[in-house]
Amino acid sequence: MALTTSPVASFADLVSPPAGSAMRRPGFIFGAGTSSYQIEGAAHADGRLESIWDRFCATPGKVLRGENGDVACDHYNRLDEDLDILKRLGVDAYRFSIAWPRVMDEAGKPNAKGIDFYKRLLDGLGARGIKAFVTLYHWDLPQYLEDRGGWLNRDTAYRFAEYADLMSRELAGRGDVAAWTTHNEPWCSAYLGYGDGHHAPGLKSNRWAAQAMHHLLLGHGLALPILRANAPQALHGIVINCAPGYADKDTAEDRDAALLFETYQNRWVLDPLLKGEYPKDLWRLWKGCEPLVLDGDMDIIKRPIDYLGINYYSRAVLASKGPDTIDWVRHPEVERTTMDWEVYPQGLQDLFEAFKRDYANLPPLYITENGMSSHDKVEGGEVNDLQRQAYLKSHFAACSRAMDNGVDVRGYFVWSLMDNFEWAFGYERRFGLVHVDFETQKRTLKRSALAYADFLKERAGR
C-alpha cells in the first residue's frame, strides 16, 4: 500500500478541542469527507456516463490548466487503500457522494457495475466500523439531463427523486448508513453553475440561478419521503454552505449590505427549507428574478429534516455601493488560505448562534465541511502543514463555544480526506488531510492527519 506515515509521539494537542469541550463527549461524531467527481476518476469505466463536469472541464478556459477529473485520486481503483486510511485515522464516520452518472443510464435503468462500487464502499466501511454519511448530489449531474435543461427544467427534480429511490433501495442493508443527504451546497449548484458561470454547466443569469435553486430544493423535498420509506433507520437532511456577513463600517448602509449578503448566501436556502418562503430581501438584489413557483411547491420544500449540514470556511466583510448593492471588502493584513479566504473561526460561532436565534425549528447541526487549502509539500517523507493544524484547532474551539451557548451540534467532518480535484482550480489547491502525489497516486498523511488520528485515539481511550 502506497501510504507513508511518520513514527512520532502523539500530536493530538496540535488540533484537539479544548479540555472539557462538548465535542469530546460520547456520541459526538468526528469524520472526514470527499465527493465523487473530486476523487473517483475512472470517468469512462463500467458504464459511467458523461457528467456536466466532464463537459465543463473539456471546455477551454473553464478549469485551471485544462485539468479534469478523469483520474483524480483514482479512488475507484484504490478503494481498499483509502478505506484503510480512514481506519488509520480512527474517524467515526465518512462522508462521500454518489456519482449519479455512474449508477443509472439515460432511461433511468440501474447500472449494476457502478452501483456495485458503492456497495463495496459501504461494505468496506462497515467492516472497519465506520458510519456512512451518503450524499446523493455533489454537483455531477448527468450531461443528458443538462441537455434537457438541467436544473432549469422542473423535470430534473422528479428525475432526482427517482435516483434517490433507486440508490436508497439498492444500498439498503449495506454497511452502517447513518445519514442520507439530498444535496451538497445547492447555493453553489444554482449560483456558481447558473448565475455566474464559475462552475458547471457555466451559465450566467441571476434569473436562471433563482429558478435552478427552486428546482434543486424541490428535488430535495420530493426525495425526502422516499428516503424515509427506504431507509427509516437513517437521518435525512441537506448540506448547505454558509458564511456570516459583517459590515465594514458601522453605518446603516454597510449593515444593510451585510444583511443583503447573508440573505443571498444563507437565507436564500434556509428560509425555504425552514420557513417555506423565499426571503423578500433577495429580490432587492435580483429585481425581477423571482422563480416560477407552483402551488404546493413550498410545502414540499419545507418538509421536516432530521439534520442540517453546514459547510463553513470563512466570512465576508461588506460595504454598500449604493441602495440595494453590496461590495466585498478585502483587508490584506489578515491571515488567508491559498483560496484567498480569510481565516476567521469566530464566524462559525457567530453563524451558529444566529441560526439558533433566527430559526425556531432549527434541526440538529453537523459541520459537514470545514478545512483549508495550503501549499503542502512532502519534505523528508513528511508534510508539516502548520497552518491547517492551527486552523482546525481554532475552529474546533469555536464550535465548542457555540455548543456551550446552546447550539445543538452533533458532528464535525474535516474537508477533506485527501487532496483532490478542486473544481475550477484543478489540482492546484490542496485541502486534504492526506497528501496525494497526482503523478504516482502515493498517499502521505500530513501532520494534521496524524494529529487528528492521535486525538481520536486518545478520545477513544486506545
Side-chain angles (χ1 to χ4, degrees):
M1 181 175 73
L3 168 65
T4 301
T5 61
S6 178
V8 295
S10 173
F11 289 132
D13 287 345
L14 297 177
V15 302
S16 59
S21 167
M23 297 175 71
R24 293 176 176 266
R25 295 173 186 166
F28 190 90
I29 289 177
F30 283 96
T34 63
S35 83
S36 52
Y37 191 77
Q38 292 181 275
I39 69 167
E40 285 181 2
H44 309 290
D46 294 337
R48 179 188 176 277
L49 302 180
E50 184 186 20
S51 81
I52 58 173
W53 272 94
D54 296 311
R55 182 72 60 88
F56 191 72
C57 291
T59 305
K62 296 298 185 181
V63 177
L64 192 65
R65 296 186 294 267
E67 293 171 337
N68 59 54
D70 284 1
V71 177
C73 304
D74 197 30
H75 175 69
Y76 192 79
N77 297 307
R78 298 171 185 266
L79 177 60
D80 288 336
E81 176 183 356
D82 293 339
L83 290 174
D84 286 343
I85 292 174
L86 286 165
K87 179 67 174 178
R88 165 70 178 85
L89 290 177
V91 293
D92 304 306
Y94 174 49
R95 177 176 175 251
F96 66 92
S97 73
I98 295 170
W100 191 347
R102 197 180 290 285
V103 297
M104 300 176 77
D105 68 12
E106 191 166 345
K109 295 180 180 179
N111 174 22
K113 289 183 178 180
I115 293 171
D116 181 65
F117 171 75
Y118 299 104
K119 289 180 177 178
R120 290 189 290 112
L121 171 52
L122 287 176
D123 288 347
L125 290 172
R128 293 165 176 81
I130 300 171
K131 298 179 184 296
F133 276 59
V134 184
T135 300
L136 285 165
Y137 186 68
H138 199 130
W139 309 352
D140 44 357
L141 186 72
Q143 181 62 41
Y144 68 82
L145 287 177
E146 182 58 37
D147 292 341
R148 301 171 189 170
W151 291 108
L152 298 178
N153 183 349
R154 184 181 177 91
D155 184 65
T156 301
Y158 295 94
R159 301 291 76 77
F160 175 76
E162 292 175 355
Y163 159 57
D165 183 33
L166 173 67
M167 295 314 301
S168 54
R169 284 188 289 106
E170 287 281 349
L171 300 182
R174 312 302 290 241
D176 182 3
V177 179
W180 284 92
T181 300
T182 53
H183 293 297
N184 176 79
E185 300 183 348
W187 185 95
C188 290
S189 296
Y191 184 69
L192 298 182
Y194 294 86
D196 76 352
H198 185 65
H199 280 186
L203 304 182
K204 297 182 180 182
S205 164
N206 289 339
R207 187 179 185 87
W208 289 343
Q211 193 63 61
M213 176 66 82
H214 183 68
H215 292 154
L216 283 154
L217 296 180
L218 181 64
H220 156 80
L222 291 169
L224 278 177
I226 296 169
L227 293 170
R228 291 191 191 281
N230 293 342
Q233 78 290 349
L235 301 174
H236 304 92
I238 190 170
V239 166
I240 65 174
N241 56 304
C242 295
Y246 299 85
D248 185 47
K249 295 181 174 61
D250 189 18
T251 64
E253 292 79 10
D254 283 7
R255 288 194 297 272
D256 188 61
L259 180 149
L260 285 173
F261 168 82
E262 291 198 347
T263 297
Y264 117 102
Q265 179 68 57
N266 305 331
R267 292 179 55 209
W268 183 20
V269 185
L270 278 174
D271 280 15
L273 291 172
L274 300 180
K275 295 183 176 180
E277 61 186 18
Y278 288 104
K280 293 181 176 57
D281 284 332
L282 184 62
W283 316 125
R284 290 168 51 198
L285 278 174
W286 295 348
K287 294 178 176 65
C289 292
E290 294 90 335
L292 175 63
V293 179
L294 302 187
D295 289 345
D297 281 3
M298 302 313 293
D299 289 332
I300 293 172
I301 289 171
K302 71 173 183 179
R303 284 170 171 160
I305 53 178
D306 302 317
Y307 83 97
L308 179 66
I310 302 292
N311 295 350
Y312 174 81
Y313 290 98
S314 188
R315 70 165 178 172
V317 179
L318 293 312
S320 174
K321 292 185 67 177
D324 301 335
T325 61
I326 59 177
D327 187 31
W328 282 256
V329 178
R330 187 184 189 280
H331 292 285
E333 71 278 5
V334 301
E335 181 187 0
R336 293 181 178 274
T337 71
T338 58
M339 291 293 287
D340 199 32
W341 297 343
E342 180 182 352
V343 176
Y344 195 75
Q346 182 60 40
L348 187 151
Q349 178 185 353
D350 294 345
L351 191 73
F352 282 10
E353 292 179 9
F355 289 168
K356 182 177 185 294
R357 180 185 66 245
D358 295 343
Y359 298 98
N361 59 338
L362 185 71
L365 303 180
Y366 287 78
I367 298 172
T368 36
E369 289 184 24
N370 178 245
M372 58 154 289
S373 68
S374 57
H375 293 300
D376 300 321
K377 296 181 180 180
V378 180
E379 298 178 328
E382 298 182 348
V383 182
N384 189 11
D385 51 346
L386 292 169
Q387 189 183 18
R388 183 174 292 102
Q389 297 159 38
Y391 183 100
L392 291 175
K393 191 173 185 69
S394 63
H395 284 77
F396 286 169
C399 179
S400 300
R401 294 192 298 270
M403 294 175 73
D404 288 343
N405 291 338
V407 181
D408 186 3
V409 185
R410 300 191 182 180
Y412 206 117
F413 291 78
V414 176
W415 186 268
S416 62
L417 172 64
M418 66 183 80
D419 296 336
N420 53 43
F421 177 78
E422 189 47 45
W423 307 112
F425 294 104
Y427 294 96
E428 182 183 81
R429 313 294 167 94
R430 293 180 176 269
F431 276 86
L433 291 167
V434 177
H435 181 278
V436 178
D437 182 324
F438 295 108
E439 294 295 323
T440 66
Q441 293 298 333
K442 182 178 181 179
R443 276 79 158 133
T444 302
L445 270 68
K446 302 175 187 179
R447 187 162 294 185
S448 59
L450 299 173
Y452 194 36
D454 283 351
F455 160 64
L456 294 177
K457 182 178 180 180
E458 291 180 9
R459 184 188 67 136
R462 298 193 300 269

